[in-house]
């Protein structure tokens, strides 16, 4: 739980670094679940002749080898569906360890301190496995794999969530350092508004609206989190290390308010008013995403972002 001083600091500055929120009871099963997933999909690519044999490779070796072979491990490992038209077999990953992360009491206690006890897990959330910048392919534009441009989280939701009380919980699975590309934020002002965004390589704040001299890096050790207000501008530093940086960005909002992507599944993670409404089985969440994928794949694409490249500030 947060102290009164920490809550005041978050409300004033729009971000807060909290160390040692999650222990190995959450992190170890999460790593194991992803290692098993990587082994399965790598074996499939190996059978297809797309990657070299990997019996002596660890998780990180397989990630980098598959990336260099242009085999996409990101979407099969992501915890949400992507922007763009979907297929009936577009992959995603929801497993028991991911569900335990999403519903971790340690995380929900912190979220409750900031938005109250009626908490819904928001579908705008992702895994991020960032290779070293020196290993990135020249045409890599995915924010979850390569660089993350300056943005506000309210800006990457649809307008239906402009009045939603929402919080981002950025979770470090391994140490996030200045060298490997930790987050950097610009403390929000008392009168902070949503800034104009443009569809660049990703949805990003328009040029000229960010004072990078005011940026504050937020290194945090494995199991720590960075809490981010939806109007706080933030980005990620480049990964200058020789290894991957692994994190999740999770979002939560007050139950009954719009998620900003209401055509994607959200679920009640905590409720003091109606505890029976809480989702308690990871299989149900996986089924919810399965049903959503099937429905959306059979209909016209719903854009996940609201910004147009022909706006005056995007020229």
């Amino acid at each position: 739980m947060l102290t009164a001083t920490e809550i005041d600091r978050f409300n004033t500055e729009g971000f807060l670094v909290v160390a040692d929120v999650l222990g190995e009871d959450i992190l170890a099963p999460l790593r194991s679940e992803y290692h098993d997933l990587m082994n399965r999909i790598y074996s499939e690519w190996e059978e297809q002749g797309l990657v070299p044999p990997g019996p002596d490779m660890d998780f990180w070796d397989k990630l980098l080898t598959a990336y260099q072979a242009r085999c996409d491990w990101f979407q099969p490992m992501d915890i949400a569906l992507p922007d763009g038209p979907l297929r009936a077999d577009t992959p995603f990953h929801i497993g028991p360890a991911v569900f335990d992360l999403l519903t971790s009491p340690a995380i929900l206690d912190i979220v409750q301190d900031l938005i109250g006890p009626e908490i819904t897990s928001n579908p705008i959330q992702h895994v991020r496995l960032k290779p070293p910048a020196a290993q990135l392919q020249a045409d890599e534009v995915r924010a979850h794999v390569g660089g993350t441009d300056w943005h506000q989280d309210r800006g990457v939701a649809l307008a239906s969530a402009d009045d939603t009380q929402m919080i981002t919980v950025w979770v470090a699975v391994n140490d996030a350092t200045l060298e490997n590309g930790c987050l950097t934020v610009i403390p929000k002002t008392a009168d902070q508004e949503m800034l104009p965004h443009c569809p660049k390589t990703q949805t990003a704040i328009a040029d000229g609206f960010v004072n990078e001299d005011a940026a504050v890096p937020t290194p945090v050790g494995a199991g720590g989190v960075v809490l981010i207000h939806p109007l706080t501008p933030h980005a990620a530093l480049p990964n200058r290390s020789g290894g991957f940086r692994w994190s999740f960005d999770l979002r939560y909002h007050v139950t009954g308010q719009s998620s900003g992507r209401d055509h994607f599944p959200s679920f009640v993670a905590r409720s003091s008013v109606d505890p029976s409404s809480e989702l308690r089985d990871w299989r149900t969440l996986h089924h919810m995403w399965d049903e959503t994928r099937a429905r959306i794949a059979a209909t016209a694409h719903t854009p996940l972002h609201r910004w147009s490249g022909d706006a005056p500030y995007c020229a």
Side-chain angles (χ1 to χ4, degrees):
M1 298 177 66
L2 301 178
T3 66
T5 299
E6 289 173 324
I7 293 171
D8 287 345
R9 186 184 309 147
F10 175 82
N11 289 332
T12 300
E13 298 183 344
F15 77 100
L16 183 70
V17 179
V18 187
D20 301 322
V21 173
L22 299 175
E24 285 301 304
D25 59 321
I26 295 293
L27 295 179
L30 191 65
R31 295 188 192 103
S32 178
E33 184 169 289
Y34 269 83
H35 289 200
D36 290 345
L37 176 60
M38 181 76 258
N39 287 339
R40 290 198 302 273
I41 60 178
Y42 193 94
S43 293
E44 293 173 4
W45 292 325
E46 188 177 327
E47 290 175 2
Q48 298 168 35
L50 300 175
V51 293
D56 298 323
M57 294 185 185
D58 65 12
F59 176 73
W60 305 110
D61 292 334
K62 288 182 177 180
L63 277 177
L64 185 56
T65 299
Y67 181 74
Q68 291 171 335
R70 293 187 174 269
C71 293
D72 180 23
W73 42 254
F74 169 71
Q75 189 51 51
M77 291 185 164
D78 198 20
I79 59 176
L81 292 169
D83 191 6
L86 299 180
R87 307 183 314 271
D89 63 348
T90 297
F92 65 90
H93 176 68
I94 299 291
V98 165
F99 187 75
D100 287 347
L101 172 67
L102 296 176
T103 58
S104 162
I107 288 178
L108 295 180
D109 286 346
I110 289 173
V111 173
Q112 180 169 331
D113 287 338
L114 298 175
I115 67 172
E118 304 306 310
I119 303 171
T120 286
S121 176
N122 185 287
I124 310 175
Q125 46 193 3
H126 300 282
V127 67
R128 295 180 185 264
L129 287 151
K130 302 228 174 182
Q135 301 286 351
L136 287 175
Q137 293 153 3
D139 57 353
E140 181 59 76
V141 298
R142 294 170 295 178
H144 315 303
V145 177
T148 303
D149 292 337
W150 286 102
H151 66 285
Q152 295 163 298
D153 285 342
R154 185 159 289 167
V156 301
L158 297 177
S160 60
D162 280 355
D163 295 322
T164 294
Q165 292 174 270
M166 187 183 299
I167 183 80
T168 295
V169 182
W170 190 96
V171 179
V173 180
N174 58 5
D175 293 348
T177 66
L178 294 174
E179 184 183 17
N180 73 6
C182 67
L183 286 186
T184 182
V185 306
I186 296 177
K188 77 176 184 66
T189 60
D191 58 350
Q192 184 75 59
E193 297 179 340
M194 185 158 63
L195 301 172
H197 287 60
C198 295
K200 301 181 182 180
T201 55
Q202 57 202 254
T203 298
I205 296 172
D207 294 344
F209 286 85
V210 172
N211 175 17
E212 295 190 31
D213 291 339
V216 178
T218 61
V220 65
V225 305
V226 184
L227 307 174
I228 306 171
H229 186 280
L231 288 176
T232 300
H234 58 285
L237 297 172
N239 182 356
R240 304 297 187 193
S241 76
F244 281 73
R245 194 211 73 196
W246 187 1
S247 64
F248 288 84
D249 48 294
L250 311 180
R251 290 187 180 87
Y252 301 89
H253 67 269
V254 172
T255 299
Q257 298 179 352
S258 171
S259 70
R261 292 187 191 166
D262 295 321
H263 56 299
F264 277 6
S266 56
F267 70 90
V268 175
R270 174 175 287 182
S271 175
S272 63
V273 172
D274 183 11
S276 66
S277 67
E278 298 174 3
L279 187 65
R280 304 181 189 277
D281 189 342
W282 70 270
R283 298 172 189 85
T284 303
L285 180 59
H286 195 288
H287 182 64
M288 291 163 63
W289 279 101
D290 271 338
E291 288 189 325
T292 297
R293 178 179 59 183
R295 173 175 47 81
I296 294 177
T299 60
H301 170 57
T302 300
L304 301 187
H305 301 282
R306 61 172 110 168
W307 307 97
S308 172
D310 59 5
Y313 41 75
C314 296

